[in-house]
Amino acid sequence: MANEEDDPVVQEIDVYLAKSLAEKLYLFQYPVRPASMTYDDIPHLSAKIKPKQQKVELEMAIDTLNPNYCRSKGEQIALNVDGACADETSTYSSKLMDKQTFCSSQTTSNTSRYAAALYRQGELHLTPLHGILQLRPSFSYLDKADAKHREREAANEGDSSQDEAEDDVKQITVRFSRPESEQARQRRVQSYEFLQKKHAEEPWVHLHYYGLRDSRSEHERQYLLCPGSSGVENTELVKSPSEYLMMLMPPSQEEEKDKPVAPSNVLSMAQLRTLPLADQIKILMKNVKVMPFANLMSLLGPSIDSVAVLRGIQKVAMLVQGNWVVKSDILYPKDSSSPHSGVPAEVLCRGRDFVMWKFTQSRWVVRKEVATVTKLCAEDVKDFLEHMAVVRINKGWEFILPYDGEFIKKHPDVVQRQHMLWTGIQAKLEKVYNLVKETMPKKPDAQSGPAGLVCGDQRIQVAKTKAQQNHALLERELQRRKEQLRVPAVPPGVRIKEEPVSEEGEEDEEQEAEEEPMDTSPSGLHSKLANGLPLGRAAGTDSFNGHPPQGCASTPVARELKAFVEATFQRQFVLTLSELKRLFNLHLASLPPGHTLFSGISDRMLQDTVLAAGCKQILVPFPPQTAASPDEQKVFALWESGDMSDQHRQVLLEIFSKNYRVRRNMIQSRLTQECGEDLSKQEVDKVLKDCCVSYGGMWYLKGTVQS
């Protein structure tokens, strides 16, 4: 109290915040001059700025009549810089150093605590500073003098060397620079020389300088005053005591950087629940790696909708044995790399997807097998396995969580959607790693041990046994179906095709049972067969002249399937059955749960729909030693699309119905012969781009080339 009485308040001053020049006001700090002389008294000859770098350059006149000015020194500097002959490019046209250049540099990058103050009529007006620049003398003229000196020396050496013989032949070694790698390019971009070059490339913007007493300067100075004192413009200064203290002593930037934006190793559930639901799911899965759906719901809280959680979990995780495993691209972002081997994120994601896919087939995985297939180092493979498995001595790595059959039964639509996604991933892995296709899908079981391998002969024998056991039932069911499909009146000229049940028919059924058609339902073998018959035959959908019956085309499933096929072939004119099935699986994965297409689509139904959509099957003569699968050897092409290239495309497809691979000159000559006109290179390129790919100087139909 005694100190406050000794230091009474003398005057209260209103403070106003002026923001008219808040983003434009700079403070220039000039070198120290005598008090009797200000920089405004010195004529400013020119001014220019580089806005991106916030770099200013001012050119000021030097008082050559001042008694302290050394005239002889000024003449010597001008002579060194410009030489004896003065022209328009001379720095000092008067042959005397009569001007000086000042160049700016930033004193601080953070100017948020600095302001320019103007006190007028008992009011203090503050304007925030956008930048503070220190002006220092620039000695670039010395560099120019050195350059002139080197030029003169070079000229003298050139004159003296003219006396020597000019007929001497010297050997010259020519070297070609190697292509620059990505790491070398990044080092070059971050180098000091590169940054200096970039700064030098920015053009100067010339400014006009107004002195202190100029009317324009007086007009601009008025913007340093707050327009009104009503307080509407100064809400920033009307703060509570706690807010005012926070403004005076804000938290340091280092503390803000150290504070995590989201939980990392130790999760704070209170902070986690303040984030959006999608971020909560992503953070939990990124930290836990593997989690049952029930545990995820308990962590998120009882008020969270399970449907919204199901929608969000499928964006960041994949279903493995009824449990959710975080996706690989969440753990390994696009621009990251392995801390062990430096392998890019794309290769790591592919290797981890292979491990996850193996766990969808079996409870056990052998690390040596994963390393052999993926060609990754042991540390990376170990990281993959530790995310989702535990090691068992003399057995391998077992999936860390038990099989969640309750989730599988409760959410069949989600399971089916994930199955389609895994089918697409499996197709990619087979292409990248040259895997042998597994035609026997295995359902993981919590009590199952290491899965055994089943040879092809055993699978065929099992299929034959099942077909023989169900033969009587199949025959009765087929007769019943035929009776139901018979109509009393048959239009004239229409013949109903009936296939008798014979030994050859039985062999066809057995062969179809041996082949595994594309399945879009989770119920296994019985979902692919209707009472033992393929869906296409059991429903009476055998094609007649390549087209399905009219009654079948009117169902919602048939309409949806036909719309997909037509849209797909409008984008890609040539597709193999294997590629078409892969695209269809991806299409199913993008559909909402419960869509009509999830009811089950057989290979036969898909092929009949393709033929009904105006496409034709191209019988490409594959070589005998081809490694293509039967689905890859079935090639379909859009015969008519309604554009000008239909005739050219049909000629091209006829060529490939007789040749597996063709040279371009043969294609061009055949097109010219059939179309009766000289085609331009652009037209031929368009047809080839639509239907073919080039490999080793030869052209192949899309999907048929075997590298």
Side-chain angles (χ1 to χ4, degrees), residues 659-677:
N659 302 276
Y660 174 62
R661 56 183 181 179
V662 189
R663 294 190 180 275
R664 180 189 173 96
N665 55 1
M666 176 182 174
I667 295 175
Q668 189 150 1
S669 62
R670 180 69 180 277
L671 286 173
T672 303
Q673 179 183 356
E674 294 291 337
C675 299
E677 56 183 4

Side-chain angles (χ1 to χ4, degrees), residues 467-480 530-533:
Q468 292 173 0
Q469 291 175 353
N470 296 330
H471 174 68
L473 181 62
L474 295 178
E475 187 174 5
R476 289 195 300 269
E477 181 66 21
L478 182 60
Q479 292 296 334
R480 186 179 65 83
N531 294 327
L533 281 176

Side-chain angles (χ1 to χ4, degrees), residues 186 215 383 434 485 583 648 658 687:
Q186 292 180 357
S215 60
D383 285 349
N434 296 324
L485 291 175
L583 295 175
H648 306 156
K658 301 177 182 179
V687 175

Side-chain angles (χ1 to χ4, degrees), residues 661-663 693-700:
R661 56 183 181 179
V662 189
R663 294 190 180 275
V693 292
S694 176
Y695 183 79
M698 303 293 289
W699 288 88
Y700 302 78

Side-chain angles (χ1 to χ4, degrees), residues 444-458:
D445 188 7
Q447 287 78 25
S448 63
L453 297 177
V454 181
C455 65
D457 294 339
Q458 292 177 349

Side-chain angles (χ1 to χ4, degrees), residues 372-501:
T372 303
V373 173
T374 61
K375 303 296 189 295
L376 293 172
C377 68
E379 291 79 5
D380 289 334
V381 175
K382 186 177 180 182
D383 285 349
F384 299 158
L385 294 170
E386 287 178 344
H387 290 168
M388 61 192 85
V390 290
V391 63
R392 305 295 186 193
I393 300 176
N394 296 329
K395 289 186 177 181
W397 291 78
E398 184 185 11
F399 193 70
I400 195 170
L401 294 178
Y403 179 74
D404 192 350
E406 182 179 353
F407 179 86
I408 299 294
K409 295 178 182 178
K410 191 174 180 181
H411 303 282
D413 52 344
V414 177
V415 175
Q416 179 64 21
R417 187 186 184 94
Q418 290 292 310
H419 173 69
M420 295 303 152
L421 290 175
W422 277 120
T423 303
I425 293 175
Q426 178 182 352
K428 292 180 180 178
L429 294 175
E430 288 172 352
K431 285 187 175 182
V432 173
Y433 295 131
N434 296 324
L435 302 178
V436 178
K437 294 185 178 180
E438 294 194 19
T439 58
M440 290 288 288
K442 297 182 281 296
K443 183 177 179 181
D445 188 7
Q447 287 78 25
S448 63
L453 297 177
V454 181
C455 65
D457 294 339
Q458 292 177 349
R459 294 175 181 172
I460 295 174
Q461 188 63 33
V462 169
K464 286 183 177 180
T465 303
K466 289 183 178 180
Q468 292 173 0
Q469 291 175 353
N470 296 330
H471 174 68
L473 181 62
L474 295 178
E475 187 174 5
R476 289 195 300 269
E477 181 66 21
L478 182 60
Q479 292 296 334
R480 186 179 65 83
R481 294 277 183 175
K482 289 180 179 179
E483 292 176 0
Q484 291 178 354
L485 291 175
R486 287 197 181 98
V487 292
V490 180
V494 177
R495 180 171 57 87
I496 299 178
K497 178 182 178 183
E498 294 185 1
E499 295 182 2
V501 179

Side-chain angles (χ1 to χ4, degrees), residues 323-337:
N323 302 280
W324 291 99
V325 182
V326 64
K327 288 184 176 180
S328 301
D329 55 357
I330 301 297
L331 296 180
Y332 303 106
K334 186 175 181 181
D335 297 329
S336 62
S337 60

